[in-house]
Amino acid sequence: MKVDTVENIKDVAESCIRSKGYNSFSFREIASAVGIKSASVHYHFPTKGDLGAAVVKRYTERFLSALGEPEDLAIKPEQLIQRYIEAFRNALIKDQKLCLCGMLGAETDSLPEEVVRETKRFFKENIKWLTAVFARYSQKEESSANNKAVYLLSSLEGAMMVAHTLSDIAAFDNAIKVIMPQFGEK
């Protein structure tokens, strides 16, 4: 099979997870949406856990890549934080879906270990990225920057969930207006 088919399989699986959760799809549904046989999905991803882990890994890599390097001195820390917030906001507006790992994070008790591992990696890497940015931004000790990172990530995931549930992007924007002054932003 072509690499395009593998990417199509991941695309469909990601869309399903972000819309309805991990347990909402089957290989048969993925195959039908891609236009292949279920056995072809199994050929590339022997188990649903393998597919889920591959989807999360790709999502994490794309998400972090789009943010850029937190130590890039050509970009002000404030701009990096804004870029981070916009990544969540754009998911709500453009994709009209929740964060893949936010969805999976709520389901970790029922997920295969490989999917849990990749989901945890998403959160750890995001916290690491934000910690590096906040360390530059506030020039404070790493524990303070780490606390801010966890707080911002948690707040964005929650604001995203509320705005999505209410079908109201203003709920997200209003939450950001409350959150940002805590970081010295307006």
Side-chain angles (χ1 to χ4, degrees):
M1 295 226 151
K2 297 178 185 175
V3 173
D4 292 341
T5 301
V6 171
E7 291 303 306
N8 287 340
I9 292 168
K10 291 180 192 177
D11 290 343
V12 172
E14 179 180 327
S15 181
C16 289
I17 295 167
R18 289 179 70 192
S19 297
K20 302 174 199 164
Y22 179 81
N23 294 308
S24 71
F25 71 91
S26 68
F27 274 24
R28 186 176 307 139
E29 291 167 309
I30 298 288
S32 176
V34 174
I36 58 176
K37 294 183 179 185
S38 183
S40 296
V41 178
H42 281 283
Y43 173 78
H44 294 286
F45 304 100
T47 68
K48 190 173 178 180
D50 294 328
L51 174 56
V55 168
V56 177
K57 182 176 182 179
R58 181 184 73 165
Y59 183 85
T60 300
E61 290 166 0
R62 286 179 174 176
F63 191 88
L64 292 171
S65 176
L67 295 174
E69 291 299 319
E71 291 89 10
D72 184 348
L73 298 178
I75 305 171
K76 293 179 180 178
E78 297 87 344
Q79 293 170 310
L80 291 169
I81 297 295
Q82 193 57 44
R83 183 183 291 174
Y84 191 81
I85 292 167
E86 286 302 314
F88 282 84
R89 191 173 191 281
N90 287 337
L92 277 170
I93 294 171
K94 291 180 183 174
D95 302 341
Q96 296 184 340
K97 291 183 171 62
L98 294 171
C99 168
L100 174 75
C101 294
M103 287 290 287
L104 292 172
E107 296 183 291
T108 54
D109 291 344
S110 65
L111 297 176
E113 181 54 38
E114 59 268 41
V115 179
V116 172
R117 184 175 47 251
E118 288 298 326
T119 303
K120 285 181 180 180
R121 188 174 78 82
F122 172 86
F123 285 107
K124 287 177 183 179
E125 290 297 320
N126 273 261
I127 291 167
K128 180 179 169 185
W129 189 92
L130 285 167
T131 298
V133 173
F134 280 125
R136 280 183 57 206
Y137 182 56
S138 63
Q139 300 296 319
K140 292 186 178 179
E141 60 189 69
E142 189 173 327
S143 65
S144 174
N146 182 266
N147 291 342
K148 287 181 177 184
V150 171
Y151 179 78
L152 181 58
L153 175 56
S154 302
S155 297
L156 291 173
E157 289 285 359
M160 182 179 235
M161 186 180 304
V162 171
H164 180 75
T165 302
L166 298 175
S167 299
D168 182 9
I169 191 67
F172 183 87
D173 292 338
N174 290 334
I176 297 309
K177 288 177 186 174
V178 172
I179 293 165
M180 290 317 296
Q182 297 176 51
F183 301 116
E185 291 286 306
K186 294 179 179 149

